[in-house]
Amino acid sequence: MVGCSLPNQRDGAILAPVPASLAPLLKQYFGYDSFRPLQREIMEMTLAGRDVLAILPTGAGKSLCFQLPALARDGLTLVVSPLIALMKDQVDSLTASGVPATLLNSSIQGAESQRRRTALAQGEYKLLYAAPERVMTEGFIQDLQRWNVNLIAVDEAHCISEWGHDFRPEYRQLAQLREHLPGVPFLALTATATAQVRGDIAQQLHLHQPELFLASFNRPNLSYTILPKHQATRQVYEFIRERPNDSGIVYVQSRNSAENLAAALAAEGIKAVAYHAGLQPAERVANQEAFIRDEARVVCATIAFGMGIDKPDVRFVIHADLPKNLEGYYQETGRAGRDGLPAECVLLFSRGDLVRNLKFLDGMTDPKAAEIAARQMRQMADFAEGSECRRAALLDYFGEQWPGDNCGGCDVCLQPHEAWDATTQAQKFLSCLFRIKQRSGFSTGLKHAVEVLAGASTEKIRNWGHDQLSTYGIGKDTPREAWSSLGRQLIRRGYVVASPDHYQTLSLSSAGLAALMQRLPILLTRVPRQAAVPTSIGKVSRAGTIPCDEGLFAELRTLRKRLADERGVPPYVVFGDLSLRHMARRYPCTDEAFLAIPGVGNQKLTDYGQPFMQAIGTWLAGHERRPFPHDEALPKPAPKMKSEGALNSSALETLRILHTGKTAPEIAALRNLSSGTVAQHLAMAIVSGDLKVEPHDFYSPEEAQLIDQAAAEHGFERLAPLHEALGGQITYDQLHFYRAFRQREQADRPQRPLSP
Ligand code: ADP
Ligand code: MG
Ligand code: ZN
């Protein structure tokens, strides 16, 4: 038996010593040298017998959190998982790594099922995967009681919540296992972070004083790019053509588009399949398998495609149509780059998509739901049209703060928009809106206002007499698209307000009126003339790839595919791209060198060392060995999310302007930043001690009390849960300040000596 055995310790008052064997086991079985963030902490708590709720983004390595502890002691880890396909892939992967694991489900019948049960009774497996409906049958529970279960891992635990996106009623019954297996701790894992879902998991599973682990939702290896959508099919094709060895997902809105796009790509010689809920089950499974087994390089899919895809080497996710909300966009792009290697997320954006999505809502019977959906759609479009760092904007949505100035991995940061003095143009635009309202008594949409500026002769303009306005045609010399873009920026900056219905009629806000009347300076940003084209994105965002001998890499991929087919497993079960890339730069030809490759454990050395080393030897006989410096190209450590002690230059600039007597909204307008960013700068300055202000400048004593109460329960490290717990009564900006004051308080507290 491997490892040492530990007593189960409920309540966890005394932490059992961590088996020193975790790190060696990580290398021995999985071939990795280090843990990813929070993995070790979660394992230690689990081994100490505590109930744990782990919320980590996709690709963070949640599986390892129960797989490795299973190897560190006697007994069986029961893994509850919602999908047969997921279980099968995980069991295949574990088996390939030499970990004794199996699964029981309705597809395993008769003698085979009996054989596995006997082996389980004899303690021959460390992990057992099962679906919840199976687990809850009477005979199965009795079996479990005999099989020495020491941990119940509930994967994709959000399935227990009706608030989550994949509700599975069967998950609800899992709490009953508590009675049947008293003293066995639960480890619940999910990538869904909302406080509502999280509370539901803890409650429904009857978690006992669970230890909560919450990771940053930043995905450092993903790059984000948003391009104007012209001819989606052509753009998608060109992007994929430039990446002949990569596989990826293209999300589209409708079943028809999925099929048409897949057909169009296939006609150009790209192996693409479609996936949507309208396909026959057999075809759906076949297409998914083809993708997972690297037979189809691209899957063109609706959002029906996703959960259950653990394929680690998805190198790109393209959204050819506008997603319906940011949450979905984050989930879908999150399927890229689980292996930690660089991956690209591209969104093709057109305003027309938003209009179409909004129109779609007209059919909805529930006005409240329609309103929420419309708001989310606009938020999505604002994100796409925004001129701020995509990563910062995305994390901001989840209440997380991106501390840096430049993330180095989004189109905005890689190709900064240039600042320009927009005062004159903005004056023309604002005054045009003002005149329209003045003359007609009603407001119009953006398109009409732009036509008036351009001096067009449309039916509406003639009917409404808008060709009589003093602003008619004053913008002739500027392209319509530039006017639209200016209008959108003025909306985002709060000078102009768009009505919440889908006509989106525009009116001046009080700030807009003031700017117009007092001719206040307005500084905006714009994309430089030579807008990004797909090929140029490719070069930039792939900079982080581990350089290797691409010829040998291709050779090794072919070998991997052959060996995987012989064994009936997906190629990544044999080796991930990470391992192959390292092989193709180090050219290992001894067991020792081969074992040093990340992802190579003892079992894989035994099973695959020989064919791979042979292929490398053969390659070297015909090709020159290319030199690669040793450690230079290892994946970069994830950028730190915690704000550092010193202020960055952007925050300092905000502070400087603040001291000249400007207000926060004025600074936002001046610097062309969102009000949230300015608030974050000020919050950082509070933490660093550069800004001395009082909490009650930002929230009332009553509000402070409310936040205190919520923070006692939810902590204040992450703001989204807190925001949600407060039912949206307190703004994110206020919460940023609250956190800043608390952090400052901690920093000011005299350091006490550590108790022994
Ligand atoms: P999640 O369930 O959180 O989405 P997975 O458990 O599927 O993530 O793991 C994603 C990928 O990360 C897998 O390919 C896995 O082998 C890899 N991985 C996990 N832990 C480590 C580690 N400590 N070092 C290197 N790779 C790891
Ligand atoms: Mg997982
Ligand atoms: Zn960025």
Side-chain angles (χ1 to χ4, degrees), residues 389-391 406-410 413:
C389 169
R390 313 291 183 195
R391 189 179 312 275
N406 189 317
C407 83
C410 80
C413 290

Short mmCIF file of all heavy atoms in Angstrom, two decimals, residues 389-391 406-410 413, ligand 3:
data_model
loop_
_atom_site.label_atom_id
_atom_site.label_comp_id
_atom_site.label_asym_id
_atom_site.label_seq_id
_atom_site.Cartn_x
_atom_site.Cartn_y
_atom_site.Cartn_z
N CYS A 389 -8.75 47.30 -20.30
CA CYS A 389 -8.20 45.94 -20.27
C CYS A 389 -9.32 44.90 -20.11
O CYS A 389 -10.14 44.98 -19.22
CB CYS A 389 -7.22 45.84 -19.11
SG CYS A 389 -6.70 44.15 -18.76
N ARG A 390 -9.35 43.93 -21.01
CA ARG A 390 -10.42 42.91 -20.98
C ARG A 390 -10.36 42.08 -19.71
O ARG A 390 -11.36 41.68 -19.16
CB ARG A 390 -10.29 41.96 -22.17
CG ARG A 390 -10.07 42.60 -23.50
CD ARG A 390 -11.28 43.35 -23.97
NE ARG A 390 -11.04 43.90 -25.30
CZ ARG A 390 -11.80 44.84 -25.84
NH1 ARG A 390 -12.84 45.33 -25.18
NH2 ARG A 390 -11.53 45.30 -27.03
N ARG A 391 -9.15 41.76 -19.30
CA ARG A 391 -8.98 40.92 -18.11
C ARG A 391 -9.50 41.67 -16.88
O ARG A 391 -10.25 41.13 -16.08
CB ARG A 391 -7.50 40.57 -17.94
CG ARG A 391 -7.19 39.54 -16.87
CD ARG A 391 -5.69 39.27 -16.82
NE ARG A 391 -5.14 39.05 -18.17
CZ ARG A 391 -5.15 37.87 -18.78
NH1 ARG A 391 -5.59 36.81 -18.16
NH2 ARG A 391 -4.68 37.75 -20.00
N ASN A 406 -1.17 46.95 -17.05
CA ASN A 406 -1.16 46.31 -18.35
C ASN A 406 -1.10 44.82 -18.14
O ASN A 406 -0.15 44.31 -17.56
CB ASN A 406 0.07 46.80 -19.11
CG ASN A 406 0.03 46.35 -20.54
OD1 ASN A 406 -0.31 45.19 -20.83
ND2 ASN A 406 0.37 47.23 -21.46
N CYS A 407 -2.12 44.10 -18.60
CA CYS A 407 -2.14 42.66 -18.32
C CYS A 407 -1.25 41.91 -19.30
O CYS A 407 -0.92 40.75 -19.08
CB CYS A 407 -3.57 42.12 -18.35
SG CYS A 407 -4.19 41.72 -20.00
N GLY A 408 -0.88 42.55 -20.38
CA GLY A 408 0.00 41.92 -21.36
C GLY A 408 -0.67 40.78 -22.11
O GLY A 408 -0.02 40.06 -22.85
N GLY A 409 -1.96 40.60 -21.95
CA GLY A 409 -2.61 39.47 -22.61
C GLY A 409 -4.01 39.79 -23.10
O GLY A 409 -4.87 38.92 -23.11
N CYS A 410 -4.24 41.02 -23.52
CA CYS A 410 -5.52 41.31 -24.17
C CYS A 410 -5.27 42.35 -25.25
O CYS A 410 -4.24 43.02 -25.25
CB CYS A 410 -6.57 41.79 -23.17
SG CYS A 410 -6.44 43.51 -22.70
N CYS A 413 -4.50 45.91 -24.00
CA CYS A 413 -3.18 46.12 -23.39
C CYS A 413 -2.06 45.95 -24.40
O CYS A 413 -1.04 46.62 -24.33
CB CYS A 413 -2.99 45.17 -22.23
SG CYS A 413 -4.05 45.58 -20.84
ZN ZN B 3 -5.37 43.63 -20.59
#
